[in-house]
Protein backbone atom coordinates (compact mmCIF):
# COMPACT_ATOMS: atom_id res chain seq x y z
CA UNK A 1 0.00 0.00 0.00
CA UNK A 2 1.45 3.36 -1.02
CA UNK A 3 1.87 6.11 1.56
CA UNK A 4 -0.88 8.69 1.92
CA UNK A 5 -0.38 12.04 0.29
CA UNK A 6 -0.89 14.02 3.51
CA UNK A 7 0.13 12.45 6.78
CA UNK A 8 1.00 14.83 9.59
CA UNK A 9 0.69 14.01 13.26
CA UNK A 10 0.24 17.10 15.40
CA UNK A 11 2.17 16.37 18.54
CA UNK A 12 0.69 18.17 21.52
CA UNK A 13 0.39 21.97 21.33
CA UNK A 14 3.26 24.24 20.41
CA UNK A 15 3.58 26.43 23.46
CA UNK A 16 4.01 30.11 22.68
CA UNK A 17 7.04 30.23 24.93
CA UNK A 18 8.71 27.17 23.41
CA UNK A 19 10.97 29.32 21.27
CA UNK A 20 11.15 32.34 23.52
CA UNK A 21 14.37 33.73 24.92
CA UNK A 22 13.37 32.91 28.51
CA UNK A 23 15.24 30.17 30.31
CA UNK A 24 18.49 28.33 29.66
CA UNK A 25 19.35 26.54 26.44
CA UNK A 26 21.36 23.38 25.92
CA UNK A 27 24.48 23.21 23.77
CA UNK A 28 23.85 22.70 20.07
CA UNK A 29 26.06 19.64 19.96
CA UNK A 30 23.97 17.65 22.45
CA UNK A 31 22.25 14.44 21.42
CA UNK A 32 18.96 14.89 19.56
CA UNK A 33 16.15 13.19 21.53
CA UNK A 34 13.14 12.25 19.44
CA UNK A 35 9.95 14.22 19.82
CA UNK A 36 7.23 12.16 21.47
CA UNK A 37 3.45 12.16 21.07
CA UNK A 38 1.76 14.75 23.26
CA UNK A 39 4.92 16.82 23.68
CA UNK A 40 5.27 20.52 22.98
CA UNK A 41 8.39 21.62 21.15
CA UNK A 42 11.04 21.65 23.89
CA UNK A 43 12.66 24.99 24.74
CA UNK A 44 16.11 23.36 24.87
CA UNK A 45 15.63 21.95 21.37
CA UNK A 46 14.56 25.37 20.10
CA UNK A 47 17.72 26.93 21.51
CA UNK A 48 19.88 24.18 20.02
CA UNK A 49 18.32 24.83 16.62
CA UNK A 50 18.96 28.55 16.96
CA UNK A 51 22.56 27.84 17.85
CA UNK A 52 23.05 26.33 14.39
CA UNK A 53 22.77 29.89 13.02
CA UNK A 54 21.62 30.58 9.49
CA UNK A 55 21.08 27.28 7.66
CA UNK A 56 21.94 27.75 4.00
CA UNK A 57 20.15 25.60 1.43
CA UNK A 58 21.42 25.83 -2.17
CA UNK A 59 19.03 24.59 -4.84
CA UNK A 60 20.01 22.18 -7.58
CA UNK A 61 18.38 23.90 -10.56
CA UNK A 62 17.56 27.53 -9.84
CA UNK A 63 13.94 27.79 -8.57
CA UNK A 64 12.48 24.91 -10.58
CA UNK A 65 9.57 23.02 -9.04
CA UNK A 66 11.64 19.84 -8.92
CA UNK A 67 11.96 17.05 -6.38
CA UNK A 68 14.18 17.85 -3.36
CA UNK A 69 13.62 21.55 -4.07
CA UNK A 70 9.85 22.04 -4.14
CA UNK A 71 9.47 20.67 -0.62
CA UNK A 72 11.97 23.21 0.71
CA UNK A 73 10.18 26.07 -1.06
CA UNK A 74 6.81 24.99 0.35
CA UNK A 75 8.13 24.35 3.85
CA UNK A 76 9.65 27.82 3.91
CA UNK A 77 6.54 29.49 2.48
CA UNK A 78 4.34 27.76 5.07
CA UNK A 79 6.55 28.82 7.97
CA UNK A 80 7.54 25.31 9.00
CA UNK A 81 11.21 26.17 9.56
CA UNK A 82 10.24 29.16 11.69
CA UNK A 83 7.96 26.90 13.74
CA UNK A 84 10.98 24.77 14.61
CA UNK A 85 13.27 27.71 15.43
CA UNK A 86 15.31 27.31 12.25
CA UNK A 87 16.69 30.25 10.29
CA UNK A 88 16.77 28.92 6.71
CA UNK A 89 18.11 30.85 3.72
CA UNK A 90 17.39 29.55 0.20
CA UNK A 91 19.82 30.39 -2.62
CA UNK A 92 19.34 29.45 -6.30
CA UNK A 93 22.21 27.36 -7.64
CA UNK A 94 23.02 24.26 -9.71
CA UNK A 95 23.61 20.79 -8.30
CA UNK A 96 27.11 20.31 -9.72
CA UNK A 97 28.36 23.48 -8.03
CA UNK A 98 27.21 22.61 -4.53
CA UNK A 99 29.01 19.48 -3.19
CA UNK A 100 32.32 21.23 -2.42
CA UNK A 101 30.44 24.02 -0.65
CA UNK A 102 28.55 21.59 1.57
CA UNK A 103 31.69 19.54 2.23
CA UNK A 104 33.50 22.72 3.32
CA UNK A 105 30.66 23.76 5.64
CA UNK A 106 29.92 26.92 3.64
CA UNK A 107 26.46 25.54 2.78
CA UNK A 108 24.50 23.22 5.07
CA UNK A 109 22.04 21.49 2.71
CA UNK A 110 21.68 20.95 -1.02
CA UNK A 111 20.20 18.55 -3.56
CA UNK A 112 21.67 15.78 -5.73
CA UNK A 113 20.25 14.38 -8.94
CA UNK A 114 20.89 10.77 -7.92
CA UNK A 115 22.53 8.66 -5.25
CA UNK A 116 25.22 7.66 -7.75
CA UNK A 117 26.07 11.33 -8.27
CA UNK A 118 26.48 11.93 -4.55
CA UNK A 119 28.29 8.69 -3.69
CA UNK A 120 30.64 9.13 -6.65
CA UNK A 121 31.56 12.61 -5.43
CA UNK A 122 32.38 11.17 -2.01
CA UNK A 123 34.54 8.45 -3.58
CA UNK A 124 36.47 10.87 -5.80
CA UNK A 125 37.02 13.55 -3.15
CA UNK A 126 37.12 11.62 0.13
CA UNK A 127 34.24 13.70 1.52
CA UNK A 128 31.48 12.82 3.97
CA UNK A 129 28.34 14.04 2.23
CA UNK A 130 25.26 12.20 3.51
CA UNK A 131 21.90 11.81 1.76
CA UNK A 132 19.09 12.27 4.28
CA UNK A 133 16.14 11.86 1.92
CA UNK A 134 15.55 10.18 -1.43
CA UNK A 135 12.33 11.31 -3.08
CA UNK A 136 12.24 9.09 -6.16
CA UNK A 137 13.25 5.45 -6.33
CA UNK A 138 13.68 5.36 -10.13
CA UNK A 139 16.01 7.32 -12.37
CA UNK A 140 14.85 10.83 -13.26
CA UNK A 141 16.53 10.59 -16.67
CA UNK A 142 14.95 9.41 -19.93
CA UNK A 143 16.29 9.39 -23.49
CA UNK A 144 14.50 11.16 -26.34
CA UNK A 145 15.41 9.91 -29.82
CA UNK A 146 14.65 11.36 -33.24
CA UNK A 147 12.43 8.66 -34.83
CA UNK A 148 13.62 9.39 -38.37
CA UNK A 149 17.24 8.74 -37.32
CA UNK A 150 16.97 5.69 -35.08
CA UNK A 151 14.23 3.09 -34.74
CA UNK A 152 15.81 1.40 -31.71
CA UNK A 153 18.61 1.87 -29.22
CA UNK A 154 20.80 -0.34 -31.42
CA UNK A 155 20.56 2.29 -34.15
CA UNK A 156 22.37 4.79 -31.92
CA UNK A 157 25.65 3.07 -32.82
CA UNK A 158 27.85 5.63 -34.54
CA UNK A 159 25.46 8.45 -33.68
CA UNK A 160 25.85 11.53 -31.44
CA UNK A 161 23.90 12.20 -28.24
CA UNK A 162 23.69 15.74 -26.89
CA UNK A 163 24.46 16.09 -23.18
CA UNK A 164 24.60 18.79 -20.55
CA UNK A 165 27.77 17.92 -18.66
CA UNK A 166 27.94 14.11 -18.48
CA UNK A 167 25.81 11.32 -19.90
CA UNK A 168 23.46 10.37 -17.02
CA UNK A 169 24.43 7.03 -15.44
CA UNK A 170 21.00 5.46 -15.92
CA UNK A 171 21.12 6.28 -19.64
CA UNK A 172 24.66 4.90 -19.92
CA UNK A 173 23.56 1.72 -18.15
CA UNK A 174 20.49 1.34 -20.39
CA UNK A 175 22.54 1.72 -23.58
CA UNK A 176 25.14 -0.77 -22.35
CA UNK A 177 22.58 -3.32 -21.16
CA UNK A 178 20.09 -3.10 -24.01
CA UNK A 179 22.31 -2.36 -27.02
CA UNK A 180 25.86 -3.11 -25.87
CA UNK A 181 26.79 0.51 -26.60
CA UNK A 182 29.53 2.32 -24.67
CA UNK A 183 30.20 6.03 -24.85
CA UNK A 184 33.34 6.86 -26.80
CA UNK A 185 33.65 3.40 -28.33
CA UNK A 186 30.24 2.96 -29.95
CA UNK A 187 28.70 6.42 -29.94
CA UNK A 188 29.81 9.97 -29.22
CA UNK A 189 28.43 12.72 -27.01
CA UNK A 190 28.46 16.45 -27.67
CA UNK A 191 27.95 19.25 -25.18
CA UNK A 192 24.86 21.43 -25.63
CA UNK A 193 24.55 24.95 -24.27
CA UNK A 194 21.69 26.24 -22.18
CA UNK A 195 18.54 24.42 -21.14
CA UNK A 196 16.16 24.77 -24.11
CA UNK A 197 15.38 21.26 -25.42
CA UNK A 198 13.77 22.68 -28.56
CA UNK A 199 17.00 24.45 -29.49
CA UNK A 200 18.97 21.29 -28.75
CA UNK A 201 16.57 19.17 -30.81
CA UNK A 202 17.16 21.44 -33.80
CA UNK A 203 20.89 20.62 -33.86
CA UNK A 204 21.21 18.37 -36.90
CA UNK A 205 24.24 16.37 -35.73
CA UNK A 206 22.36 15.13 -32.66
CA UNK A 207 20.23 12.00 -32.82
CA UNK A 208 19.16 11.84 -29.18
CA UNK A 209 18.95 13.87 -26.00
CA UNK A 210 18.76 12.73 -22.39
CA UNK A 211 16.58 14.78 -20.08
CA UNK A 212 14.52 14.74 -16.91
CA UNK A 213 11.28 12.82 -17.29
CA UNK A 214 9.54 15.81 -15.69
CA UNK A 215 10.94 18.50 -17.97
CA UNK A 216 12.25 17.97 -21.51
CA UNK A 217 9.55 15.53 -22.76
CA UNK A 218 6.83 17.98 -21.71
CA UNK A 219 8.59 20.92 -23.36
CA UNK A 220 8.97 19.01 -26.64
CA UNK A 221 5.36 17.81 -26.52
CA UNK A 222 4.09 21.35 -25.99
CA UNK A 223 6.04 22.36 -29.11
CA UNK A 224 4.56 19.53 -31.18
CA UNK A 225 7.89 17.69 -31.56
CA UNK A 226 7.71 13.99 -32.45
CA UNK A 227 10.15 11.78 -30.52
CA UNK A 228 10.60 8.25 -29.21
CA UNK A 229 11.05 7.98 -25.45
CA UNK A 230 13.26 5.34 -23.80
CA UNK A 231 12.90 5.00 -20.03
CA UNK A 232 15.62 3.11 -18.10
CA UNK A 233 13.07 1.97 -15.52
CA UNK A 234 11.11 0.15 -18.24
CA UNK A 235 14.07 -2.22 -18.75
CA UNK A 236 14.91 -2.73 -15.09
CA UNK A 237 17.66 -0.13 -14.72
CA UNK A 238 17.51 1.09 -11.09
CA UNK A 239 17.98 4.68 -10.09
CA UNK A 240 17.06 7.48 -7.74
CA UNK A 241 16.36 11.20 -7.84
CA UNK A 242 15.58 14.12 -5.58
CA UNK A 243 18.12 13.68 -2.76
CA UNK A 244 18.68 16.21 -0.01
CA UNK A 245 22.09 15.94 1.60
CA UNK A 246 24.30 17.55 4.21
CA UNK A 247 27.70 16.79 5.71
CA UNK A 248 28.37 14.29 8.48
CA UNK A 249 29.98 17.14 10.42
CA UNK A 250 26.76 19.18 10.40
CA UNK A 251 24.72 16.20 11.60
CA UNK A 252 27.17 15.55 14.43
CA UNK A 253 27.48 19.21 15.45
CA UNK A 254 23.80 20.20 15.15
CA UNK A 255 21.75 17.00 15.40
CA UNK A 256 18.42 18.64 16.30
CA UNK A 257 18.77 21.22 13.53
CA UNK A 258 19.51 18.46 11.00
CA UNK A 259 16.50 16.44 12.14
CA UNK A 260 14.11 19.37 12.29
CA UNK A 261 15.20 20.79 8.93
CA UNK A 262 14.23 17.45 7.43
CA UNK A 263 11.06 17.25 9.55
CA UNK A 264 9.87 20.59 8.16
CA UNK A 265 11.04 19.67 4.65
CA UNK A 266 9.16 16.37 4.64
CA UNK A 267 6.02 18.16 5.79
CA UNK A 268 6.55 20.54 2.86
CA UNK A 269 6.88 17.52 0.56
CA UNK A 270 3.54 16.08 1.66
CA UNK A 271 1.88 19.48 1.23
CA UNK A 272 3.37 19.85 -2.26
CA UNK A 273 2.18 16.41 -3.33
CA UNK A 274 -1.31 17.15 -2.02
CA UNK A 275 -1.58 20.51 -3.84
CA UNK A 276 0.63 20.58 -6.96
CA UNK A 277 -0.83 23.84 -8.24
CA UNK A 278 0.05 25.71 -5.07
CA UNK A 279 3.54 24.18 -5.01
CA UNK A 280 4.24 25.20 -8.61
CA UNK A 281 3.04 28.73 -7.83
CA UNK A 282 5.48 28.98 -4.90
CA UNK A 283 8.35 28.06 -7.26
CA UNK A 284 7.23 30.59 -9.87
CA UNK A 285 6.93 33.32 -7.24
CA UNK A 286 10.51 32.66 -6.14
CA UNK A 287 11.75 32.61 -9.74
CA UNK A 288 10.05 35.88 -10.59
CA UNK A 289 11.34 37.54 -7.42
CA UNK A 290 14.82 36.51 -8.64
CA UNK A 291 14.27 38.00 -12.11
CA UNK A 292 13.27 34.65 -13.66
CA UNK A 293 16.52 34.25 -15.66
CA UNK A 294 15.43 30.79 -16.82
CA UNK A 295 12.12 32.09 -18.25
CA UNK A 296 10.12 29.64 -16.15
CA UNK A 297 6.37 29.43 -16.74
CA UNK A 298 3.62 28.24 -14.46
CA UNK A 299 2.58 25.67 -17.10
CA UNK A 300 6.08 24.25 -17.28
CA UNK A 301 6.65 24.14 -13.53
CA UNK A 302 3.24 22.57 -12.90
CA UNK A 303 4.04 19.85 -15.44
CA UNK A 304 7.43 19.31 -13.83
CA UNK A 305 6.06 18.98 -10.31
CA UNK A 306 3.03 16.87 -11.26
CA UNK A 307 5.31 14.34 -12.97
CA UNK A 308 7.81 14.37 -10.10
CA UNK A 309 5.10 14.08 -7.44
CA UNK A 310 3.38 11.19 -9.20
CA UNK A 311 6.69 9.40 -9.70
CA UNK A 312 7.67 9.91 -6.04
CA UNK A 313 4.45 8.35 -4.79
CA UNK A 314 4.42 5.53 -7.35
CA UNK A 315 8.08 4.59 -6.79
CA UNK A 316 8.07 4.63 -2.97
CA UNK A 317 8.60 0.98 -1.99
CA UNK A 318 5.82 -0.83 -0.16
CA UNK A 319 6.44 -0.69 3.56
CA UNK A 320 8.47 2.52 3.34
CA UNK A 321 7.54 6.18 3.70
CA UNK A 322 7.91 9.04 1.22
CA UNK A 323 11.45 10.40 1.17
CA UNK A 324 13.07 7.63 3.22
CA UNK A 325 16.26 6.15 1.70
CA UNK A 326 16.13 2.37 1.15
CA UNK A 327 19.52 0.69 1.37
CA UNK A 328 18.66 -2.24 -0.90
CA UNK A 329 17.56 0.15 -3.65
CA UNK A 330 20.69 2.28 -3.39
CA UNK A 331 22.91 -0.80 -3.37
CA UNK A 332 21.17 -2.14 -6.48
CA UNK A 333 21.74 1.19 -8.22
CA UNK A 334 25.49 1.20 -7.60
CA UNK A 335 25.90 -2.51 -8.40
CA UNK A 336 23.95 -2.22 -11.66
CA UNK A 337 26.04 0.70 -12.90
CA UNK A 338 29.23 -1.06 -11.87
CA UNK A 339 28.16 -4.16 -13.82
CA UNK A 340 28.01 -2.22 -17.08
CA UNK A 341 31.33 -0.48 -16.45
CA UNK A 342 29.95 2.97 -15.70
CA UNK A 343 32.65 3.74 -13.14
CA UNK A 344 35.43 2.68 -15.51
CA UNK A 345 38.81 2.48 -13.81
CA UNK A 346 37.64 4.75 -11.00
CA UNK A 347 36.70 3.67 -7.51
CA UNK A 348 33.24 2.16 -7.16
CA UNK A 349 31.34 4.31 -4.64
CA UNK A 350 30.52 2.92 -1.21
CA UNK A 351 26.83 2.81 -0.32
CA UNK A 352 27.35 2.79 3.44
CA UNK A 353 28.26 6.21 4.75
CA UNK A 354 26.80 8.13 1.81
CA UNK A 355 23.27 8.03 3.24
CA UNK A 356 21.58 7.98 6.63
CA UNK A 357 19.14 5.06 6.89
CA UNK A 358 17.41 6.28 10.04
CA UNK A 359 17.05 10.06 10.23
CA UNK A 360 14.09 10.46 7.88
CA UNK A 361 12.51 7.16 8.92
CA UNK A 362 12.51 8.25 12.56
CA UNK A 363 10.51 11.36 11.70
CA UNK A 364 7.52 9.16 10.85
CA UNK A 365 5.14 7.42 13.24
CA UNK A 366 2.94 4.79 11.61
CA UNK A 367 3.33 6.51 8.25
CA UNK A 368 2.71 10.00 9.59
CA UNK A 369 5.17 12.80 10.21
CA UNK A 370 5.63 13.67 13.87
CA UNK A 371 4.98 17.38 14.24
CA UNK A 372 4.75 19.56 17.35
CA UNK A 373 1.74 21.80 17.32
Amino acid sequence: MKPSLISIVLVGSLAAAACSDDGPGDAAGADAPALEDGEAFPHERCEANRAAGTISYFTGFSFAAAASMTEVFVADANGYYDDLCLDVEITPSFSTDNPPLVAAGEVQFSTAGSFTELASYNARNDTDLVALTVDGHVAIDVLMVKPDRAESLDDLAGQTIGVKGLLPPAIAAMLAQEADLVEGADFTTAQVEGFDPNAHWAIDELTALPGWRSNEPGALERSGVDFDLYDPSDVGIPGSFGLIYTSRQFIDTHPTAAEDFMRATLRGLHDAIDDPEAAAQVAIDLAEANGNPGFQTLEGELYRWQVDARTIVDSTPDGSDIGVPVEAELTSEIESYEAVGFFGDGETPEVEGSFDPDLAADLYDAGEIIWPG
Side-chain angles (χ1 to χ4, degrees):
M1 184 176 183
K2 295 298 181 187
S4 60
L5 298 189
I6 282 294
S7 49
I8 308 295
V9 172
L10 297 181
V11 186
S13 61
L14 183 60
C19 286
S20 72
D21 291 326
D22 299 330
D26 286 350
D31 290 340
L35 291 174
E36 301 291 342
D37 286 355
E39 178 184 27
F41 196 62
H43 171 75
E44 293 81 3
R45 190 180 186 103
C46 178
E47 289 300 297
N49 287 356
R50 284 179 167 172
T54 299
I55 294 174
S56 182
Y57 167 83
F58 274 33
T59 74
F61 187 49
S62 191
F63 284 121
S68 67
M69 294 165 49
T70 305
E71 53 259 53
V72 176
F73 303 158
V74 171
D76 187 59
N78 290 347
Y80 296 154
Y81 299 122
D82 291 339
D83 289 346
L84 302 182
C85 307
L86 297 169
D87 177 18
V88 174
E89 182 178 79
I90 301 172
T91 300
S93 186
F94 292 95
S95 62
T96 53
D97 296 335
N98 299 334
L101 300 176
V102 178
E106 298 175 29
V107 172
Q108 283 67 56
F109 290 91
S110 188
T111 170
S114 70
F115 181 71
T116 296
E117 176 186 313
L118 185 71
S120 295
Y121 185 88
N122 276 341
R124 291 193 307 269
N125 298 281
D126 193 27
T127 48
D128 64 350
L129 303 179
V130 182
L132 301 183
T133 54
V134 175
D135 284 356
H137 298 266
V138 294
I140 190 65
D141 305 289
V142 293
L143 186 67
M144 296 155 290
V145 177
K146 295 177 179 178
D148 60 336
R149 304 273 284 274
E151 296 181 356
S152 69
L153 291 179
D154 296 296
D155 292 336
L156 291 176
Q159 306 268 23
T160 301
I161 298 175
V163 298
K164 297 184 287 289
L166 300 175
L167 186 70
I171 302 301
M174 177 177 67
L175 291 171
Q177 174 182 291
E178 298 299 303
D180 198 25
L181 298 178
V182 176
E183 181 181 2
D186 305 301
F187 65 91
T188 59
T189 57
Q191 293 294 319
V192 295
E193 299 295 329
F195 299 98
D196 181 0
N198 289 289
H200 301 157
W201 197 260
I203 300 173
D204 185 64
E205 71 175 284
L206 303 181
T207 297
L209 295 169
W212 290 352
R213 66 177 67 240
S214 56
N215 184 34
E216 283 85 351
L220 293 179
E221 287 173 356
R222 290 191 294 273
S223 297
V225 173
D226 184 29
F227 59 91
D228 291 333
L229 187 71
Y230 294 89
D231 186 341
S233 66
D234 288 343
V235 292
I237 302 295
S240 57
F241 71 89
L243 285 72
I244 293 179
Y245 66 91
T246 187
S247 67
R248 177 62 60 188
Q249 181 180 9
F250 184 79
I251 298 171
D252 292 343
T253 305
H254 299 290
T256 64
E259 285 189 5
D260 290 334
F261 178 87
M262 295 314 308
R263 186 188 311 277
T265 299
L266 283 171
R267 185 174 186 183
L269 177 57
H270 283 263
D271 286 358
I273 291 172
D274 187 59
D275 192 344
E277 291 82 4
Q281 187 64 60
V282 169
I284 283 293
D285 290 344
L286 287 169
E288 291 181 346
N290 192 50
N292 199 5
F295 304 102
Q296 293 170 230
T297 66
L298 182 58
E299 180 185 26
E301 296 313 307
L302 180 56
Y303 175 88
R304 187 198 308 273
W305 179 242
Q306 285 177 325
V307 172
D308 273 2
R310 182 171 62 249
T311 307
I312 290 167
V313 173
D314 289 347
S315 68
T316 297
D318 290 336
S320 186
D321 293 305
I322 288 175
V324 174
V326 177
E327 183 172 8
E329 302 248 338
L330 302 180
T331 301
S332 175
E333 178 179 333
I334 296 297
E335 290 179 346
S336 294
Y337 298 168
E338 181 183 28
V340 296
F342 175 76
F343 303 112
D345 296 330
E347 180 180 353
T348 299
E350 294 287 340
V351 174
E352 185 177 356
S354 289
F355 80 106
D356 190 312
D358 301 319
L359 190 147
D362 289 345
L363 302 179
Y364 283 91
D365 180 15
E368 301 181 331
I369 299 169
I370 299 170
W371 189 261

